[in-house]
Amino acid sequence: MQILDGKETSKAIIEELKMKVAQRNIEGKKIPQLAAVLVGKHGASETYVAAKVKACSEIGFKSSLTRLEDDISENKLLDIVEDLNNDPDVDGILVQLPLPKHISDEKIINAIHPSKDADGFHPMSAGRLVQGLPTFVPATPYGIILMLEHYKIDTRGMNAVVVGRSNIVGRPMSILLSSNTNPGNCTVTICHSHTKNLAEVCRGADILVAALGKPEFVTADMVKEGAIVIDVGITRLPDATKKSGFALKGDVHFASVAPKCSYITPVPGGVGPMTIAALMTNTYRACLDANER
C-alpha cells in the first residue's frame, strides 16, 4: 500500500508555478491575480480561503480577499462579481461556497465570466469539459488527476467507481476518468443514494472515488484487494482528545481500507492540498489565456 501524498504533490506543483511566475517577473509580464470573495463567517470556508490566499503569496501571485456580511443582498454580490469581471488586473475569481440560503449559488456562479472561472463551475466550463475541449476543470477533480499524473499511475482500461454525483466533484470526476487521456480511459460507474447493491458495485472498482460527504462510509468490505482509493470527503467530528476539539474524517474508513489498497489518499493531507494546487494552476492558465493569446 502506498499513500498518495497530497501535501508532497501539491508542493511540487506550487514550486513549479513559483518558478514560472519568477520568470514572468524577470520578463516584465503580467503576474496572475486571484480575487476571492467570502460571504459570512463559516469556519471551514475561512480555513479554505486562508489556505488559498497563502498559496497565492507563496507562488508569487497577487491576490485579494473581499469579506462580506452574511446578510448582503444577492444583487449586491452580483454587482461585486461584475466589478471583478471588468477588472483587467483580475485573472481568476473565486466565490467561496456555500453561500447564505437567500443567495442562489447558481446565479453567482453563472455571473462569473467564463474566462475568469478559476473554480471551473461555470456552465460553459462544464460544457467544454463534456465535449473534451480545453477548459477550466473544477479544482477537486482536477487536483485528483494531477495527483494520478504525479504518481505516474496508468489508469487505461480500469474500472472506476465514483460514489457521489455533485457538479463540483462526482460528475466532472466521472468525465475526466472516462476521457481519452491518461489518467483516463476508464470504464466509469457513478453511484448515488439510489444505487442498488452499492457495496457490490464498489468491490468491482479498480479505482474508487468516495465523494459523498459521509464520514467513514466506505469500509473494507466495499473495497477489493489492490484497489486505488481516492477519499474526497472531509468532515469535522467532535473529539475531546484533540486540542481543537474535533477530528477530520474522510468518507473512507482508512484504518480498515488502507491495508487492501495499492494506493490510497489520507484525510487530511490527500485531496485537500491538491484542490488548492489545481485552483492555482487554473488561475495561472487564466492569466496566460487573457494576456498571451
Side-chain angles (χ1 to χ4, degrees):
M1 181 272 293
Q2 182 174 351
I3 295 290
L4 295 174
D5 189 332
K7 288 183 180 179
E8 175 192 297
T9 309
S10 174
K11 184 177 179 181
I13 292 168
I14 283 173
E15 283 299 316
E16 184 177 349
L17 288 171
K18 190 174 178 179
M19 288 189 289
K20 289 179 178 178
V21 170
Q23 185 61 36
R24 291 182 69 81
N25 243 328
I26 292 169
E27 296 173 3
K29 294 180 178 178
K30 186 182 184 305
I31 301 304
Q33 178 168 331
L34 177 67
V37 179
L38 180 60
V39 182
K41 293 177 174 63
H42 185 274
S45 293
E46 291 271 3
T47 301
Y48 296 150
V49 170
K52 292 163 185 175
V53 171
K54 181 182 177 183
C56 285
S57 176
E58 186 176 347
I59 293 167
F61 286 0
K62 296 178 181 178
S63 67
S64 65
L65 173 57
T66 302
R67 291 178 173 274
L68 304 167
E69 295 298 322
D70 57 11
D71 60 354
I72 188 173
S73 71
E74 184 177 84
N75 285 338
K76 179 61 177 173
L77 182 53
L78 287 168
D79 288 343
I80 290 168
V81 170
E82 188 58 21
D83 287 344
L84 294 173
N85 283 336
N86 294 327
D87 186 342
D89 289 334
V90 172
D91 300 294
I93 300 172
L94 159 71
V95 179
Q96 185 64 43
L97 304 178
L99 293 169
K101 291 183 179 179
H102 68 280
I103 298 176
S104 165
D105 289 4
E106 182 182 359
K107 279 187 182 179
I108 302 304
I109 289 168
N110 290 357
I112 296 170
H113 195 280
S115 67
K116 299 188 177 189
D117 180 30
D119 256 336
F121 295 162
H122 194 281
M124 185 174 290
S125 299
R128 291 181 66 85
L129 178 62
V130 169
Q131 293 183 347
L133 300 172
T135 191
F136 297 113
V137 178
T140 296
Y142 185 25
I144 293 168
I145 293 296
L146 291 174
M147 179 182 285
L148 294 172
E149 284 180 353
H150 179 80
Y151 280 90
K152 297 180 171 56
I153 296 174
D154 188 345
T155 63
R156 287 176 294 181
M158 288 187 176
N159 290 321
V161 173
V162 180
V163 186
R165 55 181 170 181
S166 74
N167 292 331
I168 294 173
V169 181
R171 290 184 181 182
M173 190 76 249
S174 70
I175 293 165
L176 290 166
L177 287 174
S178 64
S179 296
N180 187 18
T181 55
N182 193 26
N185 279 312
C186 296
T187 301
V188 181
T189 302
I190 301 180
C191 297
H192 44 75
S193 58
H194 295 279
T195 299
K196 295 180 180 179
N197 304 317
L198 177 60
E200 182 181 339
V201 175
C202 290
R203 279 193 296 273
D206 300 308
I207 302 177
L208 178 61
V209 181
L212 65 161
K214 294 185 178 181
E216 301 187 328
F217 179 87
V218 176
T219 50
D221 64 304
M222 300 171 68
V223 179
K224 77 174 184 178
E225 291 287 342
I228 300 167
V229 174
I230 309 293
D231 190 349
V232 180
I234 186 161
T235 304
R236 293 186 181 193
L237 295 180
D239 187 338
T241 67
K242 302 287 186 182
K243 186 177 179 181
S244 62
F246 63 85
L248 296 175
K249 298 292 183 181
D251 288 350
V252 176
H253 189 275
F254 186 89
S256 66
V257 171
K260 300 183 75 172
C261 299
S262 57
Y263 296 91
I264 187 170
T265 61
V267 174
V271 173
M274 293 308 304
T275 298
I276 294 172
L279 176 71
M280 297 299 113
T281 303
N282 278 344
T283 301
Y284 182 81
R285 188 189 147 200
C287 179
L288 263 59
D289 286 351
N291 295 281
E292 297 173 25
R293 289 171 182 163

